[in-house]
Amino acid sequence: MKKYQIIISFVLATFCVSCQDFLEEEPETFFSEEQVFGTEDGVEAAINGLYQSFANPAYHGTSIHGFIAPISGKFFSNQGASQDATSLNCLPNNIWVTRLWPQMYSTINVSNTIINNLENTTLTLANKETALGQAYFIRAATYFDLVRYFGGVPIRTIPATEDNLFLPRNSKQEVYDLIISDFEKAKLMLPNAGEYLQGRPVKTAANAYLAKVYMTQASETNDAALWQQAYNEAIQVYGQYSLTATYAELFEPNNENTSEAIFELQYGANGAVRNSDVVRSYTPKDLFSYATFGRIRPNKETYEQHLTQYPGDPRIDAMYLIDSYTKVDGSVKNIYPNQVNGNDGYTVLTKYFDPSFNGTTTDRNFIKIRYADVLLMLAEITNELNGPTTEALGYVNEVLTRARNTETGVATEPADFSATLSQDEFRTRIMRERQYELLGENHEWFDTRRRGYEYFLQEVIENHNNFSNLGNTDFIYPVSVKNMLLPIPSTEISNNQAINQADQNPGY
């Protein structure tokens, strides 16, 4: 396993893109672009900087956990400064949204800098094509997150300068067109599996992402041609990876880049640099002998949905801490369902526990996309195209078969999907299966929004508000279409001269 080491920081120090005062800052580097992109080592350093930006605490390292998880409607956060987001009443000046947007655009600008230099160089560099493939891949992945969070956003495909700093919002379709184009380029440039550094994207990662892009669009429009395009990409991934023997082993500390990992962000515990809050976000502050937040907990109904569907599912024990736990001082703390009220009236997600965490940095990777996700995508796509055929059943039942495996034997649940399911029943079930399998892996926001407002209203708002055992810290979610998107940050509206309040998303 290789953790990406940052050789130089020219990209992050020199190029950002949110409309702030960054252009006035002195670059903290002695390297020019010509020097960096003049050697293969320099190109590799630039790519390392790109991954560092993508994995940054303001993006994948913290924001998608502390912000996106609770505002998805499937988690609770006890962070007082962000109650507006947790209660699905997010304000445009929320601290998380004003961090996330600029970091995503900073990542895009790093990609643009790499693409601009490598596309225009006459030098012969052995790693040029794979570097370009990675830059296109990360730019596409970031825009894909942006368009699903915010809708149409400004498109920037060249490095930011004082002359091109302010850009208007592009249409949602224009953003999707760029995403597809970039992933197609990445697919041509990236190597095959086994031909590159472990943990970096290969051709099949671009296939998997393109399948998700087309599936997302098809979910919104029910366009058969888009469902077919999603299938054509996803089927290229089928059989190229394999599920781990048990679900639990996926989240064991130090068990990373498994046979199931398609794209995984590589974190390294580098000194005192706080690179990710994933361990601190989910781990109760009194469970281990290091400082954590323990802010992010699954909503009560999120846990109960899984328990009701599959009371004997080994995945429940593998991902939830329930009832109570023994604190580091030896005393016992009650949590849900033993306790309903207060900040401990919730279960705990255990996927990111790390007994070796030093309280500041972590080397626990983050799985952006894995093979079980693709199998569930294939099941959903095939059902939309042809109904609950043997093929569609086969994909989801492969995931359920693995779910039944434990170190000590095979459980009876979760039971396979039955051939008696109708297309509508299969559709309802497969969406919930994604929650059971992928909870806490940054899919909740996307899966609850892409099926449209009525689905979101039923699956998130009504399921939560009508739950019979809410505690005194649970919020009642507003019935509002605005929660289909995040607000454009107030900082962007204030600083970007090409955007004004009229460009804000509905309801904000």
Side-chain angles (χ1 to χ4, degrees):
M1 178 179 66
K2 178 179 175 64
K3 300 288 187 179
Y4 303 137
Q5 300 300 316
I6 307 306
I7 301 173
I8 55 176
S9 60
F10 97 97
V11 180
L12 297 179
T14 311
F15 302 102
C16 297
V17 38
S18 183
C19 303
Q20 317 248 347
D21 296 328
F22 65 89
L23 289 173
E24 299 176 3
E25 296 179 4
E26 289 296 323
E28 297 175 2
T29 176
F30 299 104
F31 297 91
S32 68
E33 288 185 53
E34 290 78 11
Q35 290 174 304
V36 170
F37 292 101
T39 67
E40 291 166 10
D41 284 346
V43 171
E44 179 66 13
I47 291 297
N48 283 342
L50 175 60
Y51 287 115
Q52 185 187 52
S53 184
F54 193 65
N56 187 277
Y59 190 1
H60 283 95
T62 302
S63 292
I64 66 167
H65 305 288
F67 177 47
I68 299 299
I71 203 172
S72 74
K74 293 294 180 179
F75 285 83
F76 169 80
S77 171
N78 68 3
Q79 185 184 29
S82 195
Q83 283 191 0
D84 61 316
T86 306
S87 64
L88 273 64
N89 288 289
C90 188
L91 298 173
N93 64 351
N94 177 277
I95 189 172
W96 290 106
V97 77
T98 59
R99 289 175 181 172
L100 178 62
W101 174 285
Q103 185 58 42
M104 295 172 83
Y105 271 101
S106 183
T107 301
I108 287 168
N109 208 54
V110 178
S111 295
N112 289 341
T113 302
I114 294 170
I115 291 168
N116 181 66
N117 279 276
L118 293 183
E119 291 281 17
N120 293 298
T121 186
T122 58
L123 296 175
T124 300
L125 300 167
N127 57 351
K128 174 183 175 180
E129 184 164 290
T130 53
L132 274 170
Q134 291 171 88
Y136 279 118
F137 182 93
I138 295 298
R139 187 171 77 175
T142 305
Y143 270 120
F144 188 36
D145 285 346
L146 273 165
V147 76
R148 291 180 292 171
Y149 288 143
F150 299 100
V153 295
I155 291 178
R156 182 177 296 281
T157 57
I158 59 175
T161 68
E162 290 179 336
D163 296 327
N164 64 19
L165 188 58
F166 306 116
L167 296 175
R169 291 185 73 173
N170 289 82
S171 71
K172 188 175 175 180
Q173 187 57 54
E174 288 171 329
V175 180
Y176 270 116
D177 289 344
L178 176 65
I179 292 166
I180 292 168
S181 174
D182 277 0
F183 276 133
E184 287 289 351
K185 290 175 183 176
K187 194 166 61 175
L188 293 174
M189 296 176 174
L190 291 173
N192 295 315
E195 296 178 359
Y196 204 45
L197 293 175
Q198 189 178 50
R200 292 202 177 176
V202 292
K203 290 184 187 297
T204 43
N207 288 121
Y209 256 104
L210 275 168
K212 194 177 285 286
V213 170
Y214 287 126
M215 184 184 75
T216 300
Q217 292 182 297
S219 299
E220 297 174 353
T221 64
N222 203 28
D223 185 330
L226 289 171
W227 284 115
Q228 185 61 54
Q229 287 177 293
Y231 179 85
N232 294 345
E233 295 294 339
I235 201 66
Q236 300 300 315
V237 186
Y238 185 68
Q240 302 302 308
Y241 300 84
S242 61
L243 300 176
T244 57
T246 66
Y247 183 81
E249 69 189 78
L250 270 171
F251 307 102
E252 293 174 355
N254 301 316
N255 187 31
E256 300 169 324
N257 300 308
T258 68
S259 62
E260 190 166 336
I262 296 175
F263 179 46
E264 191 165 308
L265 299 188
Q266 312 291 305
Y267 284 94
N270 301 316
V273 178
R274 188 168 155 191
N275 57 4
S276 167
D277 272 341
V278 62
V279 176
R280 286 153 57 106
S281 294
Y282 297 97
T283 308
K285 60 184 178 181
D286 48 12
L287 183 60
F288 297 110
S289 58
Y290 50 72
T292 63
F293 300 137
R295 292 171 175 157
I296 313 303
R297 307 284 186 93
N299 274 350
K300 297 176 176 68
E301 74 279 3
T302 302
Y303 165 72
E304 292 290 355
Q305 285 167 349
H306 195 161
L307 184 67
T308 299
Q309 184 78 56
Y310 302 126
D313 189 343
R315 292 177 299 185
I316 294 175
D317 288 338
M319 75 169 84
Y320 287 107
L321 186 62
I322 64 169
D323 294 330
S324 64
Y325 62 86
T326 301
K327 299 193 295 184
V328 69
D329 65 5
S331 62
V332 174
K333 173 169 283 188
N334 285 322
I335 58 174
Y336 188 85
N338 285 351
Q339 181 165 318
V340 174
N341 292 319
N343 292 331
D344 290 308
Y346 303 85
T347 61
V348 172
L349 187 75
T350 63
K351 284 185 176 182
Y352 302 110
F353 280 7
D354 184 3
S356 65
F357 180 58
N358 67 11
T360 302
T361 67
T362 181
D363 60 2
R364 290 219 61 170
N365 288 353
F366 180 74
I367 303 170
K368 188 68 175 172
I369 187 168
R370 58 185 172 92
Y371 189 49
D373 183 3
V374 173
L375 289 173
L376 294 174
M377 287 165 57
L378 275 167
E380 180 180 349
I381 294 163
T382 305
N383 180 62
E384 295 298 336
L385 288 171
N386 304 310
T389 60
T390 300
E391 182 184 6
L393 291 166
Y395 297 131
V396 64
N397 288 342
E398 189 172 341
V399 175
L400 297 176
T401 296
R402 191 275 296 276
R404 293 192 292 269
N405 293 339
T406 71
E407 289 185 352
T408 58
V410 179
T412 57
E413 289 184 301
D416 283 354
F417 272 30
S418 168
T420 62
L421 290 172
S422 68
Q423 186 180 45
D424 287 343
E425 289 170 335
F426 191 106
R427 180 184 300 120
T428 299
R429 286 284 304 278
I430 199 66
M431 294 300 293
R432 193 61 66 79
E433 289 302 323
R434 293 186 58 80
Q435 175 182 309
Y436 302 154
E437 175 71 21
L438 303 168
L439 186 70
E441 299 176 45
N442 191 222
H443 300 283
E444 294 81 25
W445 169 280
F446 306 130
D447 283 339
T448 55
R449 269 72 173 180
R450 65 181 169 86
R451 284 286 180 177
Y453 179 63
E454 291 303 318
Y455 177 83
F456 169 75
L457 183 64
Q458 178 180 356
E459 177 62 24
V460 175
I461 305 300
E462 293 177 355
N463 267 336
H464 175 78
N465 290 350
N466 297 330
F467 183 67
S468 61
N469 203 20
L470 294 179
N472 60 7
T473 54
D474 289 296
F475 295 99
I476 298 299
Y477 294 153
V479 177
S480 174
V481 71
K482 77 174 187 179
N483 280 303
M484 296 295 284
L485 294 171
L486 297 177
I488 303 298
S490 58
T491 48
E492 184 68 15
I493 292 176
S494 297
N495 296 323
N496 185 346
Q497 296 176 11
I499 289 179
N500 57 45
Q501 186 57 39
D503 297 304
Q504 180 60 276
N505 282 329
Y508 295 104

